[in-house]
Amino acid sequence: MAATPADIKPVLNRLRRAQGQLNAVIAAVENGGKCRDVVIQLAAVSSALDKAGFQIISTAMQKCITDPDDDTDPMTVDELQKLFMTLA
């Protein structure tokens, strides 16, 4: 992903949050946590990962639109659309 540090920071924050939530899920399963709590935490992990993915794709789409001749990360609009749909 060819992006600026300002683009990367929020994505990394989301991924780190998801990592912490996943660690909590693993600990809960290992320690016999309540099913409801595990599933709620797992849903939070899934949501955080989805949001990070959407943010990455959104950044790529903006770059594609504002600088279509930049070939540092060449993706067509169709490829971006397919990536977006994999998260939907």
Side-chain angles (χ1 to χ4, degrees):
M1 179 175 109
T4 67
D7 294 329
I8 294 170
K9 185 177 179 176
V11 172
L12 288 175
N13 288 342
R14 287 189 189 278
L15 292 173
R16 287 186 181 111
R17 186 176 314 125
Q19 183 179 33
Q21 291 167 324
L22 183 57
N23 288 337
V25 169
I26 292 168
V29 169
E30 289 175 340
N31 298 319
K34 294 180 182 176
C35 178
R36 178 187 196 111
D37 296 337
V38 170
V39 171
I40 289 171
Q41 197 68 13
L42 196 54
V45 172
S46 180
S47 177
L49 291 174
D50 286 346
K51 288 177 182 177
F54 284 128
Q55 194 152 14
I56 290 168
I57 293 169
S58 172
T59 300
M61 288 176 141
Q62 289 172 355
K63 186 174 170 86
C64 181
I65 291 168
T66 59
D67 195 1
D69 297 327
D70 183 4
D71 59 356
T72 57
D73 191 9
M75 279 198 282
T76 66
V77 172
D78 287 341
E79 289 172 317
L80 288 168
Q81 203 171 31
K82 286 178 186 176
L83 285 173
F84 182 81
M85 295 307 290
T86 62
L87 293 173

XYZ file of all heavy atoms in Angstrom:
653
model
N 0.848 -1.175 0.000
C 0.000 0.000 0.000
C 0.886 1.227 0.000
O 1.585 1.480 0.963
C -0.885 -0.040 1.246
C -1.809 1.140 1.371
S -2.924 0.961 2.754
C -2.262 2.188 3.857
N 0.893 1.977 -1.073
C 1.668 3.199 -1.162
C 0.817 4.327 -0.591
O -0.084 4.824 -1.231
C 2.038 3.465 -2.611
N 1.106 4.731 0.622
C 0.312 5.755 1.272
C 1.215 6.609 2.148
O 2.335 6.228 2.477
C -0.780 5.116 2.114
N 0.684 7.739 2.547
C 1.434 8.635 3.414
C 1.333 8.147 4.852
O 0.420 7.385 5.205
C 0.869 10.060 3.324
O -0.447 10.056 3.898
C 0.818 10.559 1.897
N 2.253 8.610 5.715
C 2.154 8.241 7.140
C 0.809 8.643 7.748
O 0.284 7.940 8.600
C 3.312 9.008 7.771
C 4.317 9.132 6.676
C 3.492 9.321 5.420
N 0.244 9.742 7.278
C -1.065 10.171 7.782
C -2.162 9.190 7.390
O -3.147 9.025 8.109
C -1.400 11.568 7.261
N -2.014 8.523 6.242
C -2.983 7.519 5.803
C -2.806 6.221 6.587
O -3.776 5.525 6.883
C -2.808 7.200 4.310
C -3.143 8.367 3.406
O -4.021 9.175 3.768
O -2.519 8.468 2.329
N -1.567 5.901 6.892
C -1.240 4.629 7.522
C -1.581 4.603 9.008
O -2.035 3.585 9.530
C 0.248 4.294 7.294
C 0.497 4.057 5.806
C 0.680 3.095 8.111
C 1.957 3.958 5.432
N -1.399 5.739 9.695
C -1.590 5.770 11.151
C -2.963 5.278 11.605
O -3.047 4.424 12.485
C -1.310 7.171 11.688
C -1.375 7.228 13.190
C -1.022 8.588 13.726
C -1.141 8.544 15.247
N -0.740 9.790 15.858
N -4.076 5.769 11.028
C -5.377 5.273 11.492
C -5.596 3.791 11.201
O -6.244 3.080 11.970
C -6.404 6.146 10.772
C -5.669 6.938 9.769
C -4.218 6.854 10.062
N -5.026 3.308 10.095
C -5.149 1.882 9.772
C -4.389 1.058 10.805
O -4.904 0.058 11.326
C -4.625 1.588 8.347
C -4.564 0.093 8.083
C -5.493 2.278 7.309
N -3.178 1.479 11.113
C -2.400 0.761 12.137
C -3.088 0.789 13.494
O -3.082 -0.212 14.215
C -0.989 1.355 12.246
C -0.064 1.048 11.080
C 1.256 1.796 11.242
C 0.186 -0.442 10.964
N -3.695 1.921 13.836
C -4.429 2.002 15.102
C -5.569 0.989 15.144
O -5.772 0.307 16.150
C -4.963 3.419 15.330
C -3.877 4.402 15.674
O -2.774 4.028 16.076
N -4.167 5.680 15.513
N -6.307 0.889 14.047
C -7.409 -0.086 13.988
C -6.888 -1.520 14.085
O -7.473 -2.358 14.764
C -8.209 0.077 12.702
C -9.074 1.291 12.670
C -9.996 1.278 11.455
N -10.681 2.529 11.300
C -11.781 2.869 11.958
N -12.306 2.047 12.837
N -12.356 4.035 11.748
N -5.802 -1.789 13.381
C -5.235 -3.146 13.409
C -4.698 -3.491 14.795
O -4.860 -4.629 15.260
C -4.149 -3.288 12.348
C -4.644 -3.236 10.901
C -3.463 -3.218 9.929
C -5.572 -4.399 10.603
N -4.088 -2.529 15.457
C -3.598 -2.786 16.825
C -4.755 -3.009 17.790
O -4.673 -3.846 18.689
C -2.707 -1.635 17.282
C -1.359 -1.645 16.592
C -0.415 -0.596 17.154
N 0.837 -0.654 16.442
C 1.284 0.287 15.614
N 0.582 1.395 15.423
N 2.434 0.150 14.994
N -5.831 -2.253 17.590
C -7.029 -2.449 18.422
C -7.588 -3.846 18.190
O -7.928 -4.561 19.140
C -8.074 -1.386 18.084
C -9.278 -1.437 19.014
C -10.278 -0.307 18.739
N -9.639 0.981 18.579
C -9.793 1.777 17.515
N -10.574 1.405 16.520
N -9.195 2.935 17.444
N -7.654 -4.256 16.939
C -8.149 -5.598 16.617
C -7.237 -6.661 17.224
O -7.719 -7.671 17.735
C -8.238 -5.785 15.104
N -5.937 -6.420 17.184
C -4.987 -7.370 17.765
C -5.219 -7.515 19.268
O -5.241 -8.632 19.799
C -3.562 -6.892 17.497
C -2.492 -7.838 17.986
C -1.092 -7.309 17.657
O -0.858 -6.102 17.638
N -0.187 -8.219 17.381
N -5.423 -6.403 19.953
C -5.705 -6.454 21.385
C -7.010 -7.183 21.677
O -7.097 -7.979 22.615
N -8.025 -6.926 20.860
C -9.304 -7.602 21.039
C -9.168 -9.095 20.780
O -9.748 -9.914 21.500
C -10.364 -6.983 20.125
C -10.744 -5.576 20.534
C -11.550 -4.854 19.472
O -11.319 -5.027 18.279
N -12.480 -4.018 19.906
N -8.395 -9.455 19.764
C -8.189 -10.870 19.470
C -7.442 -11.556 20.604
O -7.778 -12.683 20.988
C -7.448 -11.049 18.145
C -7.232 -12.494 17.701
C -8.560 -13.239 17.594
C -6.493 -12.527 16.371
N -6.446 -10.885 21.166
C -5.744 -11.447 22.330
C -6.711 -11.680 23.489
O -6.611 -12.689 24.191
C -4.601 -10.531 22.761
C -3.432 -10.561 21.797
O -3.260 -11.521 21.054
N -2.643 -9.501 21.788
N -7.662 -10.757 23.664
C -8.667 -10.918 24.720
C -9.578 -12.114 24.428
O -9.960 -12.854 25.344
C -9.486 -9.645 24.866
N -9.931 -12.316 23.167
C -10.760 -13.471 22.786
C -10.010 -14.761 23.082
O -10.564 -15.698 23.676
C -11.153 -13.412 21.287
C -11.778 -14.724 20.837
C -12.089 -12.258 21.031
N -8.755 -14.820 22.686
C -7.950 -16.020 22.917
C -7.847 -16.312 24.412
O -8.050 -17.451 24.841
C -6.552 -15.865 22.279
C -6.681 -15.856 20.753
C -5.613 -16.979 22.737
C -5.420 -15.419 20.030
N -7.583 -15.280 25.195
C -7.484 -15.463 26.649
C -8.813 -15.934 27.232
O -8.836 -16.820 28.105
C -7.035 -14.164 27.313
N -9.903 -15.372 26.756
C -11.225 -15.763 27.260
C -11.521 -17.223 26.938
O -12.042 -17.960 27.783
C -12.302 -14.855 26.680
N -11.181 -17.653 25.731
C -11.412 -19.048 25.348
C -10.527 -19.964 26.196
O -10.994 -20.991 26.702
C -11.158 -19.257 23.831
C -11.141 -20.734 23.476
C -12.218 -18.519 23.021
N -9.267 -19.595 26.356
C -8.343 -20.412 27.155
C -8.780 -20.522 28.603
O -8.588 -21.557 29.240
C -6.927 -19.818 27.103
C -6.244 -19.980 25.773
C -4.895 -19.292 25.697
O -4.613 -18.376 26.507
O -4.109 -19.675 24.819
N -9.407 -19.463 29.123
C -9.806 -19.430 30.532
C -11.270 -19.788 30.759
O -11.804 -19.586 31.846
C -9.505 -18.058 31.133
C -8.032 -17.739 31.108
O -7.201 -18.607 31.375
N -7.686 -16.509 30.770
N -11.916 -20.300 29.713
C -13.307 -20.725 29.863
C -14.274 -19.578 29.992
O -15.258 -19.670 30.733
N -14.032 -18.503 29.277
C -14.916 -17.341 29.330
C -16.322 -17.664 28.862
O -16.561 -18.680 28.192
N -17.242 -16.797 29.223
C -18.637 -16.990 28.839
C -18.788 -16.854 27.330
O -18.187 -15.985 26.701
C -19.520 -15.956 29.531
C -19.577 -16.127 31.025
C -20.467 -15.063 31.641
C -20.481 -15.213 33.145
N -21.267 -14.142 33.777
N -19.592 -17.718 26.768
C -19.822 -17.751 25.320
C -20.237 -16.382 24.802
O -19.707 -15.907 23.803
C -20.879 -18.798 24.999
S -21.289 -18.908 23.241
N -21.171 -15.764 25.475
C -21.685 -14.459 25.047
C -20.559 -13.434 24.973
O -20.436 -12.693 24.000
C -22.776 -14.001 26.002
C -23.329 -12.648 25.684
C -24.297 -12.183 26.800
N -25.082 -11.089 26.327
C -26.372 -11.127 26.078
N -27.049 -12.227 26.285
N -27.004 -10.070 25.638
N -19.711 -13.381 25.994
C -18.612 -12.416 26.028
C -17.601 -12.680 24.910
O -17.097 -11.744 24.290
C -17.912 -12.447 27.388
C -18.819 -12.012 28.530
O -19.811 -11.288 28.268
O -18.533 -12.394 29.680
N -17.311 -13.956 24.678
C -16.365 -14.328 23.621
C -16.907 -13.906 22.256
O -16.182 -13.309 21.445
C -16.064 -15.845 23.648
C -15.287 -16.269 22.416
C -15.315 -16.219 24.921
N -18.168 -14.178 22.001
C -18.761 -13.854 20.699
C -18.822 -12.338 20.502
O -18.522 -11.835 19.407
C -20.152 -14.501 20.543
C -20.858 -13.992 19.297
C -20.022 -16.011 20.499
N -19.172 -11.594 21.532
C -19.212 -10.134 21.423
C -17.822 -9.586 21.110
O -17.656 -8.725 20.241
C -19.788 -9.501 22.708
C -21.294 -9.790 22.790
C -19.518 -7.997 22.756
C -21.931 -9.417 24.118
N -16.821 -10.077 21.799
C -15.453 -9.628 21.564
C -14.980 -10.030 20.163
O -14.297 -9.274 19.482
C -14.518 -10.195 22.638
C -13.194 -9.503 22.727
C -13.269 -8.072 23.232
O -14.279 -7.611 23.750
N -12.200 -7.336 23.057
N -15.357 -11.214 19.731
C -14.992 -11.680 18.392
C -15.644 -10.805 17.313
O -15.020 -10.486 16.299
C -15.400 -13.145 18.224
C -14.785 -13.913 17.078
C -13.269 -13.849 17.108
C -15.242 -15.351 17.124
N -16.866 -10.393 17.545
C -17.540 -9.491 16.608
C -16.812 -8.149 16.543
O -16.700 -7.549 15.461
C -18.995 -9.284 17.020
N -16.301 -7.689 17.668
C -15.539 -6.437 17.692
C -14.252 -6.566 16.875
O -13.871 -5.646 16.150
C -15.219 -6.034 19.126
N -13.597 -7.722 16.977
C -12.385 -7.974 16.183
C -12.728 -7.924 14.699
O -12.049 -7.256 13.904
C -11.754 -9.343 16.527
C -10.621 -9.677 15.575
C -11.274 -9.379 17.965
N -13.770 -8.613 14.324
C -14.187 -8.664 12.922
C -14.507 -7.266 12.390
O -14.087 -6.890 11.293
C -15.401 -9.581 12.791
O -15.825 -9.648 11.462
N -15.210 -6.487 13.177
C -15.569 -5.128 12.776
C -14.330 -4.252 12.613
O -14.217 -3.493 11.640
C -16.512 -4.520 13.812
O -16.816 -3.185 13.486
N -13.394 -4.361 13.539
C -12.167 -3.563 13.458
C -11.362 -3.926 12.209
O -10.823 -3.042 11.526
C -11.321 -3.751 14.718
N -11.298 -5.204 11.884
C -10.573 -5.635 10.682
C -11.268 -5.143 9.409
O -10.609 -4.685 8.470
C -10.434 -7.155 10.656
C -9.501 -7.751 11.708
C -9.564 -9.270 11.670
C -8.079 -7.257 11.517
N -12.588 -5.223 9.393
C -13.343 -4.731 8.233
C -13.098 -3.242 8.029
O -12.859 -2.784 6.914
C -14.843 -4.989 8.398
C -15.223 -6.431 8.204
O -14.396 -7.218 7.680
O -16.354 -6.792 8.582
N -13.149 -2.480 9.118
C -12.946 -1.033 9.015
C -11.538 -0.707 8.518
O -11.352 0.215 7.717
C -13.223 -0.354 10.350
C -14.705 -0.321 10.679
C -14.958 0.296 12.029
C -16.452 0.259 12.353
N -16.744 0.791 13.678
N -10.554 -1.460 8.971
C -9.187 -1.249 8.491
C -9.109 -1.544 6.994
O -8.497 -0.784 6.239
C -8.206 -2.132 9.263
N -9.742 -2.611 6.560
C -9.753 -2.954 5.141
C -10.432 -1.887 4.306
O -9.924 -1.492 3.250
N -11.575 -1.393 4.770
C -12.278 -0.342 4.042
C -11.437 0.932 3.970
O -11.420 1.616 2.957
C -13.635 -0.036 4.681
C -14.687 -1.069 4.399
C -15.406 -1.649 5.436
C -14.975 -1.451 3.101
C -16.380 -2.594 5.179
C -15.954 -2.394 2.830
C -16.662 -2.973 3.884
N -10.729 1.218 5.052
C -9.889 2.413 5.059
C -8.739 2.284 4.058
O -8.413 3.232 3.347
C -9.354 2.655 6.465
C -8.771 4.028 6.630
C -8.877 4.503 8.058
O -9.151 3.733 8.971
N -8.653 5.780 8.259
N -8.149 1.105 3.976
C -7.074 0.868 3.009
C -7.598 1.031 1.588
O -6.984 1.698 0.747
C -6.458 -0.530 3.218
C -5.662 -0.566 4.516
C -5.579 -0.928 2.034
C -5.262 -1.964 4.961
N -8.735 0.439 1.306
C -9.316 0.526 -0.037
C -9.732 1.963 -0.348
O -9.510 2.455 -1.459
C -10.494 -0.447 -0.192
C -9.974 -1.877 -0.143
C -11.243 -0.186 -1.504
C -11.045 -2.920 -0.026
N -10.292 2.652 0.628
C -10.697 4.041 0.429
C -9.497 4.911 0.064
O -9.569 5.739 -0.861
C -11.350 4.568 1.707
O -11.580 5.946 1.614
N -8.396 4.712 0.747
C -7.179 5.467 0.448
C -6.693 5.164 -0.972
O -6.319 6.070 -1.714
C -6.078 5.136 1.471
O -6.542 5.489 2.784
C -4.791 5.873 1.170
N -6.728 3.900 -1.349
C -6.303 3.513 -2.697
C -7.222 4.116 -3.751
O -6.753 4.569 -4.806
C -6.269 1.994 -2.828
N -8.523 4.142 -3.479
C -9.470 4.724 -4.433
C -9.225 6.225 -4.591
O -9.241 6.748 -5.706
C -10.907 4.479 -3.982
C -11.362 3.060 -4.134
S -13.024 2.884 -3.464
C -13.721 1.790 -4.668
N -9.003 6.911 -3.482
C -8.742 8.347 -3.548
C -7.479 8.623 -4.358
O -7.440 9.535 -5.183
C -8.603 8.929 -2.144
C -9.895 8.989 -1.389
C -9.707 9.391 0.061
O -8.595 9.545 0.537
N -10.812 9.556 0.768
N -6.451 7.810 -4.123
C -5.193 7.978 -4.850
C -5.404 7.706 -6.338
O -4.876 8.425 -7.185
C -4.148 7.042 -4.268
C -2.772 7.215 -4.845
C -1.789 6.343 -4.082
C -0.470 6.288 -4.748
N 0.471 7.273 -4.472
N -6.168 6.694 -6.647
C -6.450 6.338 -8.044
C -7.175 7.477 -8.757
O -6.889 7.781 -9.914
C -7.284 5.068 -8.081
S -7.684 4.481 -9.733
N -8.087 8.122 -8.062
C -8.868 9.200 -8.658
C -8.040 10.486 -8.776
O -8.074 11.156 -9.804
C -10.150 9.460 -7.835
C -11.108 8.276 -7.998
C -10.826 10.767 -8.249
C -12.265 8.270 -7.028
N -7.290 10.814 -7.733
C -6.549 12.078 -7.740
C -5.259 12.014 -8.545
O -4.781 13.035 -9.014
C -6.221 12.549 -6.310
O -5.442 11.551 -5.653
C -7.482 12.839 -5.528
N -4.678 10.812 -8.681
C -3.421 10.677 -9.419
C -3.420 9.379 -10.228
O -2.695 8.438 -9.921
C -2.246 10.699 -8.436
C -0.914 10.923 -9.119
O -0.892 11.077 -10.360
O 0.112 10.936 -8.420
N -4.233 9.321 -11.289
C -4.373 8.081 -12.052
C -3.101 7.637 -12.771
O -2.976 6.475 -13.144
C -5.490 8.389 -13.051
C -5.552 9.870 -13.135
C -5.058 10.400 -11.818
N -2.148 8.532 -12.948
C -0.920 8.176 -13.653
C 0.175 7.643 -12.725
O 1.231 7.219 -13.195
C -0.384 9.386 -14.425
C -1.349 9.838 -15.505
O -2.035 8.966 -16.084
O -1.435 11.045 -15.754
N -0.061 7.672 -11.419
C 0.921 7.163 -10.468
C 0.929 5.641 -10.527
O -0.080 4.995 -10.285
C 0.572 7.633 -9.051
C 1.600 7.207 -8.024
O 2.628 6.605 -8.397
O 1.380 7.485 -6.830
N 2.076 5.072 -10.841
C 2.148 3.619 -10.979
C 2.901 2.947 -9.826
O 3.376 1.832 -9.963
C 2.751 3.231 -12.329
C 4.159 3.783 -12.524
O 4.633 4.528 -11.654
O 4.769 3.468 -13.561
N 2.969 3.605 -8.655
C 3.635 2.983 -7.510
C 2.846 1.791 -6.983
O 3.415 0.869 -6.425
C 3.857 3.998 -6.370
O 2.597 4.555 -5.985
C 4.808 5.099 -6.796
N 1.556 1.816 -7.125
C 0.692 0.702 -6.727
C -0.414 0.599 -7.766
O -1.556 0.953 -7.509
C 0.121 0.929 -5.327
C -0.565 -0.301 -4.770
O -0.472 -1.385 -5.374
O -1.212 -0.179 -3.721
N -0.070 0.136 -8.981
C -1.036 0.189 -10.080
C -2.208 -0.765 -9.879
O -2.044 -1.977 -9.830
C -0.203 -0.205 -11.300
C 0.920 -1.010 -10.758
C 1.176 -0.492 -9.375
N -3.386 -0.188 -9.734
C -4.615 -0.969 -9.651
C -5.652 -0.276 -10.504
O -5.759 0.945 -10.492
C -5.120 -1.058 -8.213
C -4.431 -2.093 -7.381
S -5.366 -2.534 -5.915
C -5.016 -1.167 -4.854
N -6.406 -1.073 -11.183
C -7.494 -0.512 -11.978
C -8.696 -0.286 -11.075
O -8.775 -0.814 -9.959
C -7.884 -1.470 -13.115
O -8.445 -2.659 -12.538
C -6.695 -1.813 -13.996
N -9.630 0.487 -11.584
C -10.868 0.718 -10.841
C -11.584 -0.613 -10.614
O -12.130 -0.856 -9.533
C -11.765 1.729 -11.586
C -13.130 1.839 -10.929
C -11.090 3.094 -11.641
N -11.558 -1.501 -11.599
C -12.190 -2.814 -11.449
C -11.550 -3.618 -10.309
O -12.251 -4.272 -9.538
C -12.105 -3.621 -12.750
C -13.050 -3.112 -13.825
O -14.021 -2.396 -13.481
O -12.818 -3.425 -15.000
N -10.226 -3.564 -10.219
C -9.539 -4.276 -9.134
C -9.916 -3.701 -7.773
O -10.157 -4.454 -6.818
C -8.022 -4.199 -9.324
C -7.505 -5.023 -10.486
C -6.054 -4.774 -10.765
O -5.605 -3.604 -10.751
O -5.331 -5.760 -11.007
N -9.973 -2.376 -7.677
C -10.377 -1.741 -6.431
C -11.807 -2.117 -6.055
O -12.112 -2.397 -4.901
C -10.252 -0.217 -6.542
C -8.836 0.325 -6.552
C -8.836 1.793 -6.966
C -8.180 0.139 -5.206
N -12.654 -2.171 -7.064
C -14.052 -2.551 -6.837
C -14.156 -3.977 -6.307
O -14.901 -4.259 -5.379
C -14.819 -2.395 -8.140
C -16.289 -2.208 -7.989
C -16.924 -1.832 -9.326
O -16.461 -2.231 -10.389
N -17.988 -1.061 -9.265
N -13.380 -4.878 -6.884
C -13.380 -6.269 -6.420
C -12.877 -6.361 -4.991
O -13.445 -7.115 -4.176
C -12.539 -7.145 -7.344
C -13.198 -7.437 -8.670
C -12.303 -8.270 -9.572
C -12.940 -8.423 -10.929
N -12.088 -9.125 -11.879
N -11.821 -5.627 -4.672
C -11.320 -5.628 -3.300
C -12.376 -5.131 -2.330
O -12.588 -5.687 -1.262
C -10.060 -4.756 -3.189
C -8.779 -5.326 -3.752
C -7.677 -4.283 -3.710
C -8.368 -6.569 -2.990
N -13.047 -4.043 -2.724
C -14.100 -3.490 -1.887
C -15.204 -4.511 -1.650
O -15.670 -4.688 -0.526
C -14.663 -2.230 -2.543
C -15.737 -1.554 -1.741
C -15.405 -0.725 -0.691
C -17.076 -1.766 -2.033
C -16.387 -0.116 0.065
C -18.067 -1.161 -1.292
C -17.722 -0.333 -0.237
N -15.595 -5.199 -2.701
C -16.672 -6.177 -2.593
C -16.287 -7.388 -1.748
O -17.155 -8.031 -1.156
C -17.154 -6.606 -3.974
C -17.812 -5.481 -4.769
S -19.138 -4.645 -3.893
C -20.371 -5.930 -3.879
N -15.000 -7.720 -1.670
C -14.604 -8.838 -0.819
C -14.847 -8.536 0.651
O -15.032 -9.443 1.449
C -13.118 -9.219 -1.005
O -12.283 -8.128 -0.645
C -12.830 -9.658 -2.426
N -14.868 -7.257 1.003
C -15.126 -6.863 2.391
C -16.609 -6.651 2.677
O -17.015 -6.637 3.828
C -14.354 -5.587 2.736
C -12.853 -5.711 2.767
C -12.214 -4.340 2.951
C -12.408 -6.651 3.861
N -17.388 -6.442 1.634
C -18.804 -6.136 1.815
C -19.584 -7.356 2.244
O -19.240 -8.463 2.082
C -19.386 -5.560 0.541
